[in-house]
């Protein structure tokens, strides 16, 4: 299968590299020339200490020009959620009339963005619990081998993509309605990401602070109400308990939003809590806690972004 990976960061290189090693024709797309030059010069190496996963070394072409890939069968989208529209426009040359586009990004709204760009019949979306870190361009550490769950309107396309990912060694599940899967993951990250960014605390210390736990409870409760108003049939789950167990199970981890702040990068707040606020306004739901953290993180960004 011909595959283009839009966003050749940690997860993009992980998925692209493993698919290339399994015999697929993969092209990695990135916006930075120096980054793609490094991959083209040295190849891609994926190291792992995880059980049942092996180190992969493979030569995968990387480019800033999507036209070099031509029209592909599958485009995987791994850019930051707020970059989705721009990245799809920038790399439109690889997306032909028969291309299936799959997003496993974090945040809310990317499924709708894909549907707007390529139509509902060619858009697949979901979540992944794979973990990876770029140690340097061309060198990726595989840190987590969790399940990727996705689906869309075209069940046959879902099955085809699930098959190639499974053959490449990724645990996969499929769903008829990816919105439920996407919302469930976001309900767990919604309270963690902004509070970590604002306090600069690792996950475990967030869960140990009674005042922060109360705020996390409010954020989650509001988001559940927004999901219900949107017609999202969430599973019967104590989401705050899941949030706290997630924090305790990753006590020393610094959330990706905190990592963005520490690195002086734009965060995904608009695609996370900001998206909840936008949908809440459309549905007439009051979400003061989500509005508060959204405004605070946006203000924090303005303190260091040009």
């Amino acid at each position: 299968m011909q595959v283009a990976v839009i966003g050749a960061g940690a997860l993009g290189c992980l998925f692209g590299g493993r698919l290339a090693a399994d015999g697929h024709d993969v092209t990695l797309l990135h916006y930075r020339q120096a980054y793609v030059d490094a991959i083209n010069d040295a190849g891609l190496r994926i190291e792992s200490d995880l059980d049942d996963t092996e180190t992969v070394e493979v030569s995968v072409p990387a480019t800033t020009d999507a036209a070099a890939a031509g029209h592909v069968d599958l485009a995987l989208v791994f850019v930051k959620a707020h970059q989705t529209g721009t990245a799809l426009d920038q790399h439109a040359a690889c997306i032909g009339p028969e291309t299936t586009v799959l997003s496993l990004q974090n945040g809310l709204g990317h499924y709708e963005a894909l549907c707007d760009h390529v139509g509902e019949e060619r858009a697949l979306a979901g979540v992944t619990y794979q973990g990876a870190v770029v140690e340097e361009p061309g060198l990726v550490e595989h840190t987590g081998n969790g399940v990727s769950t996705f689906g869309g309107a075209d069940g046959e396309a879902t099955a085809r993509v699930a098959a190639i990912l499974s053959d490449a060694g990724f645990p996969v599940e499929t769903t008829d309605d990816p919105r439920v899967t996407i919302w469930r993951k976001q309900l767990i990250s919604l309270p963690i990401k902004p509070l970590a960014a604002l306090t600069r605390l690792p996950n475990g210390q967030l869960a140990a602070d009674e005042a922060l736990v109360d705020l996390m409870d409010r954020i989650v409760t509001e988001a559940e109400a927004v999901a219900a108003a949107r017609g999202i049939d969430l599973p019967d789950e104590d989401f705050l308990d899941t949030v706290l167990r997630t924090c305790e199970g990753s006590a020393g981890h610094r959330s990706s939003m905190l990592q963005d702040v520490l690195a002086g990068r734009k965060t995904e707040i608009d695609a996370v809590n900001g998206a909840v606020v936008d949908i809440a306004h459309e549905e007439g739901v009051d979400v003061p806690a989500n509005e508060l953290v959204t405004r605070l993180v946006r203000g924090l960004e303005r303190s260091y972004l040009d």
Side-chain angles (χ1 to χ4, degrees):
M1 183 177 285
Q2 289 182 305
V3 181
V5 179
I6 299 175
L11 287 177
C13 284
L14 172 65
F15 276 79
R18 294 272 288 272
L19 286 169
D22 201 42
H24 297 280
D25 182 3
V26 177
T27 302
L28 302 176
L29 301 174
H30 197 275
Y31 69 94
R32 200 150 45 89
Q33 188 63 50
Y35 188 93
V36 303
D37 287 345
I39 293 176
N40 289 329
D41 289 343
L44 179 61
R45 180 180 174 88
I46 303 169
E47 298 182 343
S48 177
D49 292 328
L50 302 172
D51 293 339
D52 301 323
T53 57
E54 299 178 353
T55 294
V56 172
E57 289 188 82
V58 63
S59 178
V60 188
T63 181
T64 60
D65 181 9
H71 288 174
V72 297
D73 302 307
L74 172 65
L76 297 174
V77 183
F78 281 111
V79 297
K80 293 280 191 179
H82 64 271
Q83 300 169 332
T84 303
T86 300
L88 289 173
D89 288 337
Q90 180 181 356
H91 299 299
C94 71
I95 301 174
E98 304 297 325
T99 303
T100 298
V101 184
L102 167 63
S103 165
L104 295 175
Q105 299 161 276
N106 287 321
L108 298 169
H110 51 274
Y111 181 44
E112 291 77 7
L114 294 192
C115 291
D116 289 343
H117 271 76
V118 302
E120 188 176 2
E121 290 302 317
R122 293 196 288 129
L124 303 178
V127 303
T128 185
Y129 291 92
Q130 291 288 319
V133 177
V134 174
E135 299 293 346
E136 60 185 59
L139 177 60
V140 174
E141 181 184 358
H142 188 193
T143 59
N145 197 33
V147 174
S148 301
T149 304
F150 61 89
D154 189 337
E156 291 184 3
T158 300
R160 286 196 302 272
V161 176
I164 70 162
L165 292 180
S166 179
D167 289 345
F170 296 105
V172 171
E173 295 178 358
T174 61
T175 178
D176 293 331
D177 187 356
R179 299 177 306 159
V180 174
T181 300
I182 291 167
W183 271 86
R184 183 191 177 275
K185 183 177 182 182
Q186 294 315 303
L187 275 168
I188 298 168
S189 63
L190 277 167
I192 297 174
K193 288 185 174 183
L195 295 185
L198 292 166
T199 64
R200 304 199 175 195
L201 293 174
N203 290 355
Q205 291 186 42
L206 293 176
D209 188 305
E210 185 175 338
L212 293 178
V213 170
D214 178 67
L215 184 52
M216 285 195 279
D217 189 16
R218 297 183 190 187
I219 291 169
V220 169
T221 300
E222 291 175 3
E224 287 182 279
V226 173
R230 198 66 153 187
I232 308 298
D233 188 17
L234 291 170
D236 185 14
E237 180 176 351
D238 184 339
F239 283 102
L240 179 62
D241 180 66
T242 304
V243 168
L244 295 178
R245 284 189 287 107
T246 299
C247 287
E248 291 161 359
S250 58
H253 178 68
R254 295 185 184 274
S255 166
S256 60
M257 193 172 290
L258 172 55
Q259 293 179 45
D260 286 339
V261 169
L262 294 175
R265 297 187 295 258
K266 181 173 175 57
T267 74
E268 292 184 294
I269 190 66
D270 290 337
V272 187
N273 303 80
V276 170
V277 172
D278 291 342
I279 297 169
H281 289 168
E282 294 173 7
E283 301 294 342
V285 179
D286 191 28
V287 288
N290 281 276
E291 287 187 346
L292 174 63
V293 294
T294 298
R295 292 175 181 178
L296 288 173
V297 173
R298 285 173 178 165
L300 178 59
E301 286 181 338
R302 286 197 297 275
S303 73
Y304 60 78
L305 289 177
D306 184 5

